[in-house]
Amino acid sequence: MLQIPHLPETRKLKALAVLTSGGDAPGMNAAIRAVVRYAIAKDCAVYGVTKGYSGLLEGQIQPMEASSVANIIQRGGTILKTDRCEAFFRKAVRREAAHILQRKGIEGLVVIGGDGSFTGAHLMENETGFPTIGIPGTIDNDIAGTEDTIGFDTAVNTAVDAIDRIRDTASSHDRIFVVEVMGRSSGYIALQTGIGGGAETVLVPERKIPVSKICDTIERGIRRGKTSSIIVLAEGRTPGNAQVLAQKLEDRGYATKVCILGHTQRGGTPTAHDRMLASAMGASAVAHLMAGHSNSMIGCRDNRIQLVPFKDVIGGKKTLSTALLDLGAVLAT
Ligand code: F6P
C-alpha cells in the first residue's frame, strides 16, 4: 500500500504551471488532475502548458480550472499533449522559457516526464533560479531515484494481457512466439511481463543470453511435452530485434512467429495503481513547490512518496534486480 507522508506547506504560491514531456504514459492525466486540483485547493492558480517544452516556447499556456480536469482520471495519453523538444538542449532557449513563465506571473513548473525532460528542468533551474519539480511519467520505469513510474504498471498489464492471448494461438498451432516489448535500454517491462505472463524465456539488455541457450530451453520444454513457447524480448536500443531473433531460431529449424507490441503498451486506461501513484505524486509536487522545495523529483521508494534531488536522478543508472532475473529464469524452466 502506497504511503503518503504528511504534505508540507509553508508559503503561498500565486501561480504554477504543469506540462507533460517525452513519451506519453497512462496515468499522466491523473497526475495533471492532481496537480490542478491540489493547487486550486491551496488557492494557487494553475496554468496548463500544451505540447511540453515546445508549447512553452510558443507561449501555449492556458489557465486551468478544477473543471478542466473533470473526467480525465480514467483516460490514457495526456490532455496537455507532449513532445520531445530538441531546442531545449540550448541554454538560451531555456532562459527564454523561464522568462515566458515569469512574464505570466508563474512561480513554479511541474514537469511530468522522464530523464530527458528532468534534465531540461534541472538546467533551467540552475541557470535561472526558476523553481521546477519533476513527476516520473514513463512506461519504461527506467528513472533512478524511484522504484516506480507512472504508466509502468499499465504497460505491463497491457503486455501480459497480450501474452495471454498469444499463448492461446501459440498452443493451438504448436508455435514459438517472440514477443517484443518496449522499454528502450531497460528490461523492466520485459522482466515483469515475462514473469507475469509465464514466458519460457525473458531476454533483457541487462543480461544477454546466447541463442544456443534459448534453443536449449526450447528443447528442454519439448522433452517435457511442451509444444509451444513464448519468448519475451526487450526492444533495447534498436526496436525490431524480434525479427532478428526469430530468423536465428528459424535457421536452427524452429518455426517462429513474431509479435511486436509497440505503442499498444503506451495507450489505454491506466490501472488503479497508476492512478493512485499519479494522484499522490501530483499533490506532493505542488505541496513541495509551496514549501519552497524544487530542483527535485517526486519519487517512490519502499512504497513511500518522497522528494529526490534532480542531481541524484538525472543520468543515474537503475539496475534490474538480479534476484528477479533469477526468479524469472527458475520459473520459466
Ligand atoms: O520511453 C517510452 C518509449 O515508449 C520507449 O519504451 C520506446 O523505446 C520509445 O518511447 C518510443 O518512442 P516514440 O514513441 O517516439 O517512437
Side-chain angles (χ1 to χ4, degrees), residues 116-330:
S117 312
F118 295 164
T119 304
H122 178 52
L123 291 173
M124 185 172 83
E125 177 153 0
N126 287 351
E127 293 154 3
T128 66
F130 192 89
T132 61
I133 285 265
I135 296 178
T138 166
I139 64 165
D140 299 342
N141 198 15
D142 60 348
I143 300 178
T146 184
E147 286 153 10
D148 206 354
T149 60
I150 296 165
F152 173 64
D153 185 63
T154 307
V156 168
N157 276 284
T158 301
V160 166
D161 179 60
I163 287 189
D164 290 348
R165 291 161 195 268
I166 290 167
R167 197 178 282 287
D168 288 345
T169 173
S171 65
S172 303
H173 283 268
D174 292 344
R175 276 173 173 160
I176 296 165
F177 266 83
V178 180
V179 182
E180 184 175 300
V181 297
M182 277 189 165
R184 217 172 286 224
S185 12
S186 159
Y188 272 93
I189 297 179
L191 184 56
Q192 295 230 3
T193 299
I195 293 175
E200 276 67 28
T201 302
V202 181
L203 301 171
V204 294
E206 292 86 345
R207 186 182 278 181
K208 303 269 185 247
I209 298 179
V211 179
S212 59
K213 218 166 157 216
I214 300 170
C215 294
D216 289 348
T217 308
I218 295 171
E219 285 303 322
R220 242 191 346 264
I222 292 172
R223 283 198 295 277
R224 286 181 25 239
K226 269 192 187 185
T227 56
S228 62
S229 274
I230 306 279
I231 299 167
V232 173
L233 170 73
E235 62 177 359
R237 275 278 153 205
T238 46
N241 277 328
Q243 300 283 7
V244 178
L245 175 61
Q247 190 54 55
K248 287 181 180 164
L249 294 175
E250 289 272 348
D251 292 347
R252 285 165 174 77
Y254 300 104
T256 307
K257 293 280 176 185
V258 167
C259 182
I260 298 176
L261 298 184
H263 287 81
T264 58
Q265 297 156 96
R266 284 252 292 271
T269 302
T271 58
H273 174 88
D274 275 332
R275 296 182 202 194
M276 187 63 214
L277 185 69
S279 300
M281 286 181 161
S284 183
V286 176
H288 278 292
L289 268 180
M290 295 189 92
H293 307 152
S294 64
N295 220 339
S296 299
M297 174 191 79
I298 306 298
C300 179
R301 287 169 171 163
D302 295 328
N303 263 344
R304 281 185 75 80
I305 298 294
Q306 51 197 268
L307 196 68
V308 190
F310 272 151
K311 65 176 173 46
D312 298 337
V313 172
I314 293 164
K317 189 93 195 93
K318 185 161 160 188
T319 45
L320 208 52
S321 150
T322 47
L324 211 54
L325 276 166
D326 293 343
L327 176 68
V330 169

Side-chain angles (χ1 to χ4, degrees), residues 69-90:
V69 291
N71 241 326
I72 65 165
I73 196 166
Q74 78 285 10
R75 281 170 56 191
T78 158
I79 59 159
L80 290 177
K81 299 192 181 288
T82 186
D83 195 24
R84 301 190 203 272
C85 178
E86 294 285 322
F88 220 71
F89 287 119
R90 297 205 300 275

